Each structure stands twice: as structure tokens, then as C-alpha cells.
Amino acid sequence: MRRAVPVVVLACAVAGGVSGCRVGGDDTKAATRVTRPAPAPACTGAIRWGRVSEERTLIAVSRVVTVRKDDGEVRLSPLRVRELVPRVETSGAGPSTERIFASLDKRLGDAFEVARPGRTSTAVEHPDVADFLGDSGRFVSAWGVRAVEATFTADCGGTTPVYGSVSTWHGSSDASLQCGVDPAEHGNKERWVTEAYTLACGHGS
């Protein structure tokens, strides 16, 4: 009489097209080592500024409002024309953004600090409340900031300099204009003012 021999079935897992079986022992996960490149050394060399320009630039204009002599205070809200966004562009790894802007502040020598990345010109778009008591006509308000464009070179070691440019803004201005009274004909020929007047009060084609 033959004795029954127990049969042990070994199940093997198949994953991703590769099969494998393990009997006993501990699973050990393979350690994956990621080698990260060493950070570039900080660029602390001199920053030399090339062309630096500043120009008052229109950012918003209100709708035209018609007022009568007894209307008093009227609220005019800004409608955006353009948005200035601070940014730095470089030919390679250069000085920190904060150091570049601090150096530009020093180069400009103005009372206002230039805007840093993250603070766009929309920060100065606030409604204007004007007192028109005694005046009549069609009026409009305009908002502007001083746009800054600059180029620079930074010595960061080695034989290749880092070139770059900065776009930003600072300060704020506003103007109250009356349609039918061209500011350029009355002594105010600033481009941002005449642009606002033409956009709001000019004749279309």
C-alpha cells in the first residue's frame, strides 16, 4: 500500500514581468542613493550697472464720469492698463535676487525702494475720491508708477562674467484730468498723463 506524500505548492509573485520566489528570511528593501550636485558657491563679486532708466508709466485709468457743480465728492475706481512685474534675468548663476535689488536701490539713490518680486504695480491701484464741488464737466483719474529698466554685470569667479537685466518699479502718482482740456496744451506733457488723456478722452477712428 502506497503512502500519500503531501505536496507543498510554492506560490511565486510575478510583477513587472519578473518572477521571483522566497522561502523564509526577511525582506530587505534596496536603498536608493541619490547624489545631488554640490550647490554653486555664492556669487559675492562686484555688481556693475550699465544702462539704468526710469520713466513714469501709466498703469490704470478710471472710466469718465460726468459731474455737476453740486455733486461734491465722486469716487473713481482704477481700470488696469498694464501691470509691471519685478523680475531678474541672468546669463547664468549670479548674485542673489535680494542682493541685486539692494545694489539697484543704491545705484538709483532714490528715497523709495524698488519693488521686489511678488509685489506688482497693482499694489498702488486704489480708488480715488475727488471733490468736484463747484466744478462741472467730464473727468477721469489716472494712476502711474516709475518703471525701472537696468542691465548689470556680476563677477562670480572664473573667466566668464554673469550678465543680467532687471525690470521693476517704485513710487506712485495720480492725476485728475478733464476731458476737453488737453494736458499737453496746458503745460503737462508727461507721457503717462497724455496717454491717460488720449485713452479716456480721445476720439476713436
Side-chain angles (χ1 to χ4, degrees):
M1 181 175 180
R2 300 181 62 184
R3 297 177 58 189
V5 179
V7 178
V8 178
V9 178
L10 181 64
C12 299
V14 179
V18 179
S19 63
C21 300
R22 183 188 62 80
V23 180
D26 296 326
D27 286 328
T28 302
K29 294 183 178 179
T32 302
R33 293 181 176 83
V34 178
T35 303
R36 294 183 175 85
C43 177
T44 58
I47 298 175
R48 296 186 300 278
W49 292 97
R51 182 183 65 85
V52 179
S53 66
E54 295 182 80
E55 183 180 9
R56 191 72 66 186
T57 301
L58 179 70
I59 60 168
V61 180
S62 74
R63 65 182 180 85
V64 177
V65 297
T66 301
V67 299
R68 299 180 297 272
K69 289 186 177 182
D70 57 350
D71 280 344
E73 291 187 346
V74 176
R75 180 185 179 92
L76 300 101
S77 298
L79 301 174
R80 189 171 306 155
V81 173
R82 60 173 61 86
E83 181 180 3
L84 304 186
V85 180
R87 69 180 185 275
V88 176
E89 297 179 355
T90 61
S91 62
S96 68
T97 299
E98 182 52 40
R99 183 164 173 256
I100 292 171
F101 279 94
S103 178
L104 180 57
D105 283 334
K106 185 177 180 180
R107 169 65 176 78
L108 292 173
D110 291 321
F112 297 101
E113 286 189 350
V114 296
R116 271 47 173 177
R119 180 176 170 80
T120 76
S121 58
T122 60
V124 302
E125 293 179 6
H126 301 297
D128 178 25
V129 179
D131 188 353
F132 290 103
L133 187 62
D135 294 322
S136 62
R138 300 170 66 243
F139 293 88
V140 63
S141 282
W143 292 259
V145 297
R146 189 173 292 276
V148 179
E149 298 285 341
T151 57
F152 66 89
T153 304
D155 296 322
C156 297
T159 59
T160 304
V162 173
Y163 296 107
S165 63
V166 177
S167 298
T168 186
W169 61 275
H170 70 83
S172 63
S173 297
D174 57 77
S176 180
L177 307 172
Q178 182 175 3
C179 292
V181 182
D182 191 331
E185 296 176 1
H186 290 77
N188 191 339
K189 296 183 179 181
E190 288 189 80
R191 181 153 41 180
W192 76 280
V193 174
T194 57
E195 181 185 8
Y197 180 84
T198 302
L199 287 175
C201 305
H203 298 292
S205 59

